[in-house]
Amino acid sequence: MGANLSQWLVPDGPWGLVAPLLPPFPSRPQGGGTAPRDERAVFTAMVYVLISGCAWRHPTETFGVAPATAHCRFTVWTKAGLWRRLHRVVLNELGAQGGLDWASPLTGQ
């Protein structure tokens, strides 16, 4: 179930837009800390939480990600400006495909 749900929530096309925007995982010179995780699984768990409205602790194990990892990475990515950059990339992609009408109904243009 997890793989099918993951593919449905974050298909290859959108993932191709997201992946290059993710900040690199910082390694700790002294060692220890959290090991890098499958970023797509982490992102998919976040998408599930955000669109379902459930608590962070509930769905993430379905995607192979610990709840604390998903929430921590969400916080890190938010501070890094991921969501703002992703919003711009998606708008640019939709605009390039002719999927957006930039004319404002308020200006009559």
Side-chain angles (χ1 to χ4, degrees), residues 55-77:
W56 284 102
R57 68 183 174 271
H58 289 296
T60 53
E61 303 220 5
T62 301
F63 303 102
V65 178
T69 299
H71 187 260
C72 179
R73 201 65 56 88
F74 177 80
T75 302
V76 169
W77 289 351

Side-chain angles (χ1 to χ4, degrees), residues 81-101:
L82 171 67
W83 310 113
R84 178 181 38 79
R85 290 192 322 273
L86 180 57
H87 186 236
R88 281 193 188 129
V89 166
V90 168
L91 290 177
N92 288 339
E93 183 70 22
L94 288 172
Q97 295 175 6
L100 292 177
D101 180 6

Side-chain angles (χ1 to χ4, degrees), residues 27-40:
S27 61
R28 295 175 55 184
Q30 72 274 26
T34 304
R37 298 285 181 236
D38 175 5
E39 300 290 20
R40 186 172 185 168

Side-chain angles (χ1 to χ4, degrees), residues 14-27:
W15 176 245
L17 298 175
V18 174
L21 301 175
L22 296 177
F25 186 83
S27 61

